[in-house]
Amino acid sequence: MNAKEILSHVDHTYLKQNATWTEIQQICEEVIKYHTATAMVPSCFIKRIKDTYGDKIKVATVVGFPNGNCNTAAKIAETAQALADGASEIDMVINVGALKEGNTEYVTNEIKALKNLVGDRVLKVIVETCFLTEEEKIAACKCVTEAKADFIKTSTGFGPKGATLEDIKLFKEHIGPDVRMKPAGGIHTREEMEAYLALGCDRLGCSAAVKVLKDEL
């Protein structure tokens, strides 16, 4: 797989708490230059990006990030504003505590509420695998599938551990046929990117991809 093909699957990500507009502009310029799938940025920058770059760039953002345990109404409001500002894709964090106590109905209904709002745009669901047992990861797959989200995503990148190939293999066994996979967190090398794509991942959450691959273009 060549560098251009890999980059087409990458959400070029910059979600640091101290992100500045200057840094976000650099991300956007790289998205345009290297044709990554999206710029994955904090929601406060969406409108400014769309005002500056228009349709040259597809913007993704995060909701309920990184902890996921705000209430559903807050996630709905955050999502609505992000969509109004021009976001094309939403990466929401589930309520991990609710999943761990077995309240899968709450988790599923919250995902459904956001998917209903997002509509034809893309909803990715971050389940933060580092906090879950295998049984809970399987339950998360079922919640995401039942709620008809577009993607299941491993991690925020802010937890103690990011994506693993083992988690993607587990997802692959338990998600529905219409759910795609996005590993995120700790993906630093070309070999890692290729390995995830070879397992069938459709998107990669990766801040290092452009730096690693740009000299091949």
Side-chain angles (χ1 to χ4, degrees):
M1 184 173 287
N2 64 41
K4 185 176 180 181
E5 290 172 320
I6 296 172
L7 287 168
S8 71
H9 292 279
V10 168
D11 287 338
H12 191 24
T13 303
Y14 199 80
L15 293 169
K16 291 183 179 181
Q17 295 98 319
N18 59 347
T20 66
W21 173 239
T22 299
E23 291 167 324
I24 296 299
Q25 280 183 294
Q26 181 179 340
I27 293 295
C28 292
E29 296 292 344
E30 289 172 346
V31 167
I32 293 167
K33 182 175 181 179
Y34 299 110
H35 305 288
T36 68
T38 70
M40 170 61 70
V41 298
S43 61
C44 65
F45 294 106
I46 298 169
K47 189 174 188 307
R48 197 168 180 182
I49 290 171
K50 297 304 289 186
D51 288 345
T52 304
Y53 299 99
D55 293 335
K56 293 180 182 178
I57 191 166
K58 186 178 286 188
V59 183
T61 196
V62 286
V63 164
F65 191 86
N67 294 329
N69 53 3
C70 57
N71 60 55
T72 300
K75 292 180 184 177
I76 288 171
E78 193 176 3
T79 299
Q81 188 62 57
L83 296 173
D85 286 344
S88 298
E89 302 188 3
I90 301 292
D91 290 30
M92 65 167 288
V93 187
I94 66 164
N95 188 315
V96 178
L99 182 70
K100 291 190 71 65
E101 67 185 17
N103 195 350
T104 54
E105 183 179 3
Y106 179 97
V107 175
T108 301
N109 286 340
E110 185 170 81
I111 299 168
K112 281 182 180 177
L114 265 64
K115 183 55 187 172
N116 287 341
L117 187 58
V118 169
D120 292 336
R121 284 170 282 197
V122 172
L123 178 67
K124 310 188 199 89
V125 180
I126 306 169
V127 301
E128 200 69 296
T129 49
C130 62
F131 296 124
L132 304 179
T133 65
E134 182 171 315
E135 183 179 350
E136 289 161 352
K137 292 170 190 175
I138 293 169
C141 289
K142 292 177 181 177
C143 292
V144 173
T145 300
E146 185 179 336
K148 301 186 185 305
D150 300 283
F151 280 83
I152 187 169
K153 176 178 170 182
T154 60
S155 320
T156 62
F158 282 65
K161 190 177 180 182
T164 67
L165 293 171
E166 289 72 24
D167 283 338
I168 291 299
K169 291 173 184 176
L170 187 69
F171 285 176
K172 197 171 180 178
E173 291 179 15
H174 295 283
I175 54 174
D178 296 325
V179 179
R180 291 172 280 172
M181 299 181 293
K182 176 183 173 181
I187 303 172
H188 299 301
T189 68
R190 189 189 211 285
E191 290 72 25
E192 288 170 335
M193 295 176 220
E194 286 186 313
Y196 283 112
L197 292 172
L199 280 175
C201 294
D202 191 68
R203 199 69 66 84
L204 303 172
C206 191
S207 57
V210 167
K211 182 179 180 181
V212 170
L213 298 171
K214 64 182 181 180
D215 289 341
E216 297 184 32
L217 299 170

